[in-house]
Amino acid sequence: MNGAAPRSGPAAWLQALPFGAVFAFFFVAPLLLIVAVSFWPTSDYALVPGFTADNYVSIFSGCSEFADPCVTVKTYWSTLRFSFFTWLVSLLLGFTIAYFLAFHVRSTGMQTLLFVLCTIPFWTSNVIRMISWVPLLGRNGLVNQGLIGAGLIEQPLEWLLFSEFSVVLAFVHLYTMFMLVPIFNSMMRIDRALLEAAEDAGASAWQTLWNVVVPLSRTGIVIGSIFVITIVMGDFVTVGVMGGQQIASVGKVIQVQTSYLQFPLAAANAVVLLAVVLMIIAALTRMVDLRKEL
């Protein structure tokens, strides 16, 4: 009998129902609640249900003047700048380390050992890793003292700590691993016969890297970029600690607004931030179809 075998077990939708319920309860419902609260009137110490667009008007107040950008535009520009430099440096570092592990370390055991060594900093708290930079980059820190002792500078460098430099440095330290892991995974899936074919065809090492390795690592690069950019866009702890509470970011603005119980205004800022992040993710995913590549 050539008929298809009858399916056993519950239907596919029934199997997915528990996961769908968890996703709806812990992800979709909170997002919908934030969107709803963003339209509530802002009051001093109470949440009053209602509907108003005043919160969004307040966010974009004065943003029509191009000569003098509003606070929101300046804040988003600062956050996007942090995201871009963190993405660029973490991409260079993550790609280089992943390339070395995937193509220059022949032993699987050594690859595993070196990869585990890369994860050691993640065994400690993010706050501890951030604070560890303070005695290094401070005015009387080891870096300034070393440069003065070597005669390279006469006065301590003030911009090493509590500056945009220190914020980006901490971001790179904290989140480069989120770029390295997906890129390394993509590189390990590359057929080594393709590299040999490129070499036999007369391609140089740089040509092989640019025309073979980079295109085939594109999925990992996109996934790592999504991880790094989305985390940095919403981060406020790193900006607060490493910026000395003097540098603004969107996440920091939302944190301050919630601390002052301005929940509707904070929710509106969160919705705008989510929209910006989703647009960035949409632009990145147009570079590669993740559903086909994964």
Side-chain angles (χ1 to χ4, degrees):
M1 198 169 180
N2 297 328
R7 295 183 178 181
S8 58
W13 67 267
L14 192 59
Q15 298 178 33
L17 185 61
F19 300 100
V22 171
F23 179 79
F25 183 77
F26 288 102
F27 184 75
V28 177
L31 282 180
L32 294 177
L33 182 60
I34 291 174
V35 173
V37 172
S38 69
F39 288 100
W40 289 7
T42 301
S43 59
D44 292 333
Y45 300 104
L47 286 174
V48 181
F51 185 85
T52 179
D54 291 344
N55 297 317
Y56 292 95
V57 173
S58 176
I59 292 174
F60 296 104
S61 176
C63 292
S64 59
E65 300 179 4
F66 293 98
D68 185 19
C70 63
V71 174
T72 300
V73 171
K74 293 179 180 178
T75 304
Y76 270 92
W77 172 244
S78 174
T79 306
L80 289 171
R81 192 167 60 249
F82 289 147
S83 299
F84 172 76
F85 285 115
T86 303
W87 168 80
L88 180 62
V89 178
S90 62
L91 175 60
L92 294 175
L93 289 176
F95 189 92
T96 303
I97 297 172
Y99 182 81
F100 173 77
L101 292 176
F103 298 110
H104 290 276
V105 179
R106 303 297 181 182
S107 171
T108 304
M110 184 58 66
Q111 280 182 341
T112 304
L113 176 61
L114 293 176
F115 188 82
V116 171
L117 288 177
C118 292
T119 65
I120 287 179
F122 286 80
W123 299 355
T124 58
S125 168
N126 283 8
V127 177
I128 294 176
R129 282 185 284 160
M130 280 187 291
I131 294 176
S132 66
W133 285 107
V134 175
L136 290 175
L137 303 178
R139 180 179 177 84
N140 297 316
L142 294 179
V143 175
N144 272 319
Q145 293 302 315
L147 292 175
I148 293 175
L152 298 177
I153 58 175
E154 297 181 358
Q155 299 293 330
L157 300 177
E158 301 289 349
W159 53 265
L160 288 179
L161 187 63
F162 303 144
S163 63
E164 294 189 0
F165 169 80
S166 61
V167 172
V168 173
L169 179 65
F171 277 142
V172 171
H173 179 206
L174 295 176
Y175 303 131
T176 295
M177 200 66 184
F178 289 94
M179 182 71 76
L180 189 154
V181 172
I183 294 177
F184 177 71
N185 181 61
S186 294
M187 288 184 177
M188 290 300 294
R189 297 167 59 184
I190 297 176
D191 189 352
R192 296 320 189 251
L194 296 175
L195 304 182
E196 296 176 1
E199 184 179 356
D200 294 339
S204 64
W206 284 106
Q207 289 174 328
T208 302
L209 174 66
W210 185 253
N211 296 305
V212 178
V213 177
V214 171
L216 294 178
S217 304
R218 185 173 55 183
T219 301
I221 293 174
V222 170
I223 294 175
S225 300
I226 291 174
F227 283 156
V228 171
I229 292 174
T230 54
I231 294 174
V232 173
M233 287 290 290
D235 189 287
F236 63 89
V237 177
T238 307
V239 176
V241 173
M242 300 304 295
Q245 307 297 336
Q246 302 173 8
I247 299 176
S249 71
V250 181
K252 187 65 179 176
V253 170
I254 295 174
Q255 185 265 332
V256 171
Q257 289 171 342
T258 55
S259 66
Y260 283 100
L261 304 181
Q262 297 177 342
F263 296 112
L265 190 58
N269 268 301
V271 171
V272 175
L273 175 61
L274 177 61
V276 173
V277 171
L278 289 177
M279 287 189 292
I280 295 174
I281 294 176
L284 290 172
T285 52
R286 288 180 64 89
M287 300 173 59
V288 59
D289 190 343
L290 296 180
R291 292 174 296 180
K292 293 182 179 179
E293 296 290 343
L294 294 178

